[in-house]
Amino acid sequence: MNAFITKQIPEAGLQLLKEAGVNFAIADKKLSQEELIAQVQSYDALLSVGFVRADAAFLKACSHLKVLSLFSVGYDNVEIAAATRLKIPVGNTPGVLSGVTADTAFLLMLATSRKAFYNYHKILDGKWQEFDPVADLGIELNGKTLGIFGLGNIGYEMAKKCRAAFDMSVIYHNRKPNPAAEKELEARYVSFEELLVQSDVLSLHANFSPETKALFNKDAFGKMKRNAIFVNTARGGLHHEGDLKAALESGIIWGAGLDVTSPEPMDPANPLLKMPNVCVLPHIGSATVETRNAMAVMAARNVIAGLRGERLPAIVNAEIYQ
Ligand code: DGY
């Protein structure tokens, strides 16, 4: 039983692999697609960390794999239908990162509402001046309406925090209603249009797919409140960056907090980074010791199960077992 790992992961996962008798190698540099395909030929499992594009051609070239285990909850970089056709089980790490990813959304919401990153830079630039009653004012969140696009595990955690901290009311738009959130958080299902129109804070927690690609564009921003804060901790591809920048510049919306961009990494010269009402983080949603350990364990368990021919504990394409 052997596995190839595309990047170093926390020891907790490696330990589990060792205990299960899995021999593994970890890439010591970023490999091109061709190099990775060549490497993987002598392994039964691939533990994919970071952005590895597993499209139909890649999967076909690696069709011998007994498991493709992702070190992420998101699986938009994998052509799942192709993996399913080739009977390659794809595993991911849902659940364990919901709380901390929601923490990141909450952090960005609050930081944006008070122009925190911009004000911090003012200090670094020697521009901290005397008290000024009208300079760089933020907006308050208490009692405001939180709109969640994609109310799954992470969206639920974000809604819970916002209710507890700021008594915010919650509206959401999803593929299907979420009765638990409606009962426990008094969340109200609304149309996509209503979500845009009514939200004071609009936080994205949906998967990236052809249907959601650039859904938050000029048209969508144009329907939002002028004092709205847009938060994206899901995938950068969900928003159209040029349209977002234009909406912020012209005051169509008030601010934006982003943990994800497209492309990543963001160009350090990107004008969004200099805007007072914008806070950007470098995709750190799940970046805590506890969560990364838990993700490593989960990804390792998926590898071990796949190598043993067992059902993966966290499977994306469960239909392969039917
Ligand atoms: C995830 O788990 O999907 C995070 O965004 C890291 O890619």
Side-chain angles (χ1 to χ4, degrees):
M1 298 210 295
N2 63 14
F4 189 72
I5 308 177
T6 60
K7 226 181 234 184
Q8 183 69 41
I9 62 167
E11 190 54 37
L14 301 179
Q15 191 55 38
L16 213 60
L17 293 175
K18 283 180 205 154
E19 283 163 15
V22 178
N23 296 315
F24 57 83
I26 304 173
D28 54 8
K29 64 172 177 113
K30 179 148 177 68
L31 303 175
S32 68
Q33 285 294 91
E34 295 69 33
E35 288 171 328
L36 184 57
I37 289 171
Q39 245 336 314
V40 165
Q41 297 312 309
S42 38
Y43 292 88
D44 307 314
L46 176 61
L47 201 164
S48 169
V49 191
F51 193 84
V52 176
R53 175 104 196 98
D55 56 16
F58 178 92
L59 291 163
K60 193 162 167 232
C62 302
S63 59
H64 65 286
L65 283 176
K66 293 194 176 128
V67 52
L68 169 56
S69 172
L70 308 175
F71 190 88
S72 65
V73 66
Y75 46 84
D76 47 291
N77 50 342
V78 180
E79 222 172 298
I80 296 298
T84 304
R85 271 197 306 278
L86 293 163
K87 298 258 180 290
I88 303 174
V90 179
N92 68 341
T93 63
V96 291
L97 45 68
S98 305
V100 286
T101 306
D103 288 347
T104 308
F106 188 90
L107 161 70
L108 285 167
M109 170 185 75
L110 188 50
T112 304
S113 78
R114 301 301 295 272
K115 307 185 184 182
F117 291 17
Y118 172 75
N119 279 310
Y120 172 68
H121 275 280
K122 274 181 66 177
I123 303 173
L124 294 181
D125 295 344
K127 292 183 181 152
W128 182 355
Q129 284 159 355
E130 270 188 30
F131 173 73
D132 181 341
V134 292
D136 297 321
L137 304 184
I139 48 176
E140 294 183 24
L141 297 166
N142 212 38
K144 295 271 173 78
T145 298
L146 170 73
I148 300 272
F149 180 71
L151 189 52
N153 294 339
I154 303 173
Y156 183 93
E157 290 296 326
M158 172 65 169
K160 199 163 92 181
K161 289 173 207 297
C162 290
R163 274 189 71 73
F166 293 118
D167 196 23
M168 293 171 86
S169 44
V170 180
I171 56 175
Y172 73 102
H173 184 75
N174 238 13
R175 275 173 300 189
K176 48 184 196 285
N178 184 327
E182 294 189 8
K183 186 161 169 254
E184 287 147 35
L185 305 173
E186 294 176 51
R188 194 163 53 81
Y189 183 92
V190 294
S191 67
F192 182 59
E193 173 104 7
E194 283 173 296
L195 186 81
L196 297 170
V197 171
Q198 293 178 24
S199 299
D200 294 305
V201 175
L202 179 47
S203 190
L204 312 192
H205 301 284
N207 289 336
F208 177 68
S209 68
E211 291 76 46
T212 56
K213 184 176 178 186
L215 193 57
F216 294 86
N217 53 21
K218 185 174 182 217
D219 191 40
F221 294 129
K223 293 180 177 147
M224 289 172 65
K225 292 184 181 174
R226 290 187 86 83
N227 68 345
I229 294 175
F230 176 78
V231 178
N232 190 357
T233 53
R235 284 292 181 266
L238 291 174
H239 66 262
H240 184 288
E241 191 179 288
D243 290 353
L244 174 63
K245 190 148 64 63
L248 289 161
E249 271 164 359
S250 54
I252 300 279
I253 65 169
W254 195 83
L258 309 174
D259 185 46
V260 289
T261 61
S262 179
E264 289 179 6
M266 185 183 240
D267 182 345
N270 191 310
L272 282 172
L273 295 169
K274 291 260 156 64
M275 295 176 75
N277 299 350
V278 177
C279 294
V280 184
L281 290 171
H283 203 146
I284 58 154
S286 62
T288 64
V289 173
E290 296 86 343
T291 293
R292 289 287 165 84
N293 280 343
M295 289 170 74
V297 165
M298 217 162 168
R301 285 199 179 124
N302 278 335
V303 167
I304 295 163
L307 289 173
R308 288 179 179 159
E310 295 165 2
R311 185 185 170 102
L312 309 195
I315 177 86
V316 174
N317 51 348
E319 55 276 21
I320 66 163
Y321 298 123
Q322 279 157 16

